[in-house]
Amino acid sequence: DFDVAYFHSYAHVGIHEEMIKDRVRTETYRAAIMQNQSFIEGKVVVDVGCGTGILSIFCAQAGAKRVYAVDASDIAVQANEVVKANNLTDKVIVLHGRVEDVEIDEEVDVIISEWMGYMLLYESMLGSVITARDRWLKRGGLILPSYATLYMAPVTHPDRYSESIDFWRNVYGIDMSAMMPLAKQCAFEEPSVETITGENVLTWPHVVKHVDCYTIQIHELESIATTFKFKSMMRAPLHGFAFWFDVEFSTPIHCQKKKRANPNEALVLSTAPEDPPTHWQQTMIYFYDPIEVEQDQLIEGSVVLSQSKENARFMNIHLEYASGGRSFVK
């Protein structure tokens, strides 16, 4: 039932419009396809969660012999029309169904997918990419993107805090601060997807999880845990933690080696605060009350991201943090 609802949500054109209009996202994917054209030309590609089919069409334009465009949402019906309108029915085969259920009767050379969700793993389709890899990918085949990294860092964001909370101190001359506990609960009990800048970030980021799309297993997504220790670069109120990710598109030669000879060769799509904004923005976890931190003050703790038992596409976050001798759980 949850999957039905999830796929149904992707039948709405608005979601696809937002993703395609995200130029950073779409143009990085197109650049990655062109950069890897020698591995795509004359080869068989599967596009996991093809949506409107734009990545499948980019692959066909790059000379793919055949592209299997797979989507369980009803948008697949429109994708098929888009393929027809671009005279690509001989190259792009739209399969309307889940990767776990559809049949492809040959091995594939390349898997491409835009699987990342908010905070990388919320509503993520990474499990479907892993399934496609294990079902169809040839040995030595290419996965785009190849790697993903989720980061976190402590942030200060006084403007956001005052807009949502301090606002109640004086409303048209009336003291409505009695509203503040409820306002904090409503504003900050769940993660918030919004755009911040590098100026909001108090420290260097911490790597929560590095994902190697060639080797990661589905069971590894059930629970991800990390401990962190940050040192604040400045004196500021600490309002919470921000999470963001980047993904890397590498060529197959590099896939065989753990370390690349030249790191600059890889194309990266980043959702970091200092990079151009994307539709993923950043994911914020706000505290109910800020903590005043001094320069060089330690902020330490742990975070566990676990798939919801009811719905694996959803995520539970357990955050423990301590600073200045006080500790908290969220």
Side-chain angles (χ1 to χ4, degrees):
D1 288 350
F2 284 120
D3 260 8
V4 168
Y6 169 73
F7 292 126
H8 185 66
S9 73
Y10 277 85
H12 192 282
V13 75
I15 277 187
H16 298 282
E17 182 183 337
E18 180 187 37
M19 292 190 292
I20 288 173
K21 281 182 175 172
D22 181 344
R23 295 184 74 97
V24 175
R25 162 198 180 270
T26 307
E27 289 182 351
T28 305
Y29 267 87
R30 181 162 63 180
I33 289 164
M34 295 332 271
Q35 193 169 302
N36 287 284
Q37 186 167 9
S38 58
F39 301 100
I40 291 170
E41 210 165 350
K43 298 294 194 350
V44 180
V45 179
V46 62
D47 177 0
V48 177
C50 69
T52 52
I54 189 166
L55 301 185
S56 296
I57 289 171
F58 287 160
C59 289
Q61 288 172 343
K65 178 170 77 173
R66 219 176 349 278
V67 184
Y68 293 100
V70 185
D71 207 299
S73 155
D74 288 343
I75 201 74
V77 176
Q78 276 76 35
N80 205 30
E81 294 303 315
V82 171
V83 168
K84 274 188 208 164
N86 286 275
N87 301 317
L88 288 169
T89 44
D90 57 329
K91 280 193 168 188
V92 181
I93 300 156
V94 178
L95 299 174
H96 187 184
R98 301 187 325 146
V99 161
E100 292 78 1
D101 304 327
V102 300
E103 290 303 327
I104 294 176
D105 295 328
E106 60 182 325
E107 285 191 313
V108 305
D109 303 280
V110 181
I111 291 173
I112 191 163
S113 180
E114 198 273 76
W115 54 263
M116 302 82 72
Y118 295 124
M119 204 168 158
L120 189 63
L121 297 171
Y122 174 71
E123 277 199 350
S124 145
M125 303 189 316
L126 181 54
S128 300
V129 174
I130 294 169
T131 301
R133 176 196 75 196
D134 295 348
R135 287 189 73 187
W136 303 311
L137 188 66
K138 270 183 192 165
R139 191 177 174 81
L142 174 64
I143 304 177
L144 296 174
S146 322
Y147 307 100
T149 309
L150 175 63
Y151 302 91
M152 70 181 291
V155 292
T156 184
H157 205 345
D159 295 350
R160 168 76 160 82
Y161 199 84
S162 62
E163 277 166 25
S164 305
I165 308 303
D166 294 336
F167 156 77
W168 292 104
R169 293 184 197 280
N170 179 339
V171 183
Y172 297 98
I174 300 164
D175 176 1
M176 299 193 80
S177 51
M179 291 291 295
M180 285 169 69
L182 180 63
K184 285 178 189 178
Q185 199 176 342
C186 293
F188 301 144
E189 70 183 337
E190 289 191 338
S192 165
V193 175
E194 56 191 77
T195 298
I196 60 168
T197 69
E199 291 171 4
N200 297 110
V201 182
L202 290 173
T203 70
W204 294 104
H206 168 79
V207 172
V208 177
K209 176 72 176 172
H210 180 71
V211 173
D212 180 336
C213 295
Y214 293 95
T215 58
I216 192 164
Q217 301 299 317
I218 284 180
H219 68 83
E220 290 179 60
L221 304 177
E222 289 169 13
S223 182
I224 289 162
T226 187
T227 56
F228 53 82
K229 186 178 280 189
F230 295 106
K231 190 185 267 193
S232 182
M233 292 182 188
M234 65 187 96
R235 182 183 183 187
L238 165 62
H239 288 102
F241 291 97
F243 291 78
W244 65 87
F245 65 87
D246 56 36
V247 296
E248 185 182 301
F249 300 85
S250 304
T251 51
I253 300 105
H254 299 137
C255 304
Q256 313 314 323
K257 304 176 193 160
K258 277 286 171 271
K259 286 274 176 281
R260 287 187 313 282
N262 179 2
N264 300 331
E265 286 174 30
L267 199 60
V268 173
L269 167 56
S270 171
T271 67
E274 65 272 16
D275 286 314
T278 69
H279 78 280
W280 288 284
Q281 303 178 273
Q282 289 83 37
T283 301
M284 306 291 301
I285 295 179
Y286 286 106
F287 309 152
Y288 290 135
D289 296 298
I291 301 170
E292 293 296 331
V293 296
E294 301 296 327
Q295 187 172 341
D296 295 333
Q297 185 169 321
L298 283 182
I299 303 157
E300 52 193 325
S302 63
V303 65
V304 180
L305 312 177
S306 52
Q307 285 181 345
S308 162
K309 292 279 182 280
E310 291 79 47
N311 181 356
R313 295 191 188 279
F314 289 180
M315 192 158 60
N316 296 319
I317 303 167
H318 181 85
L319 178 66
E320 298 186 11
Y321 57 101
S323 196
R326 298 164 68 204
S327 54
F328 308 87
V329 177
K330 190 169 171 68

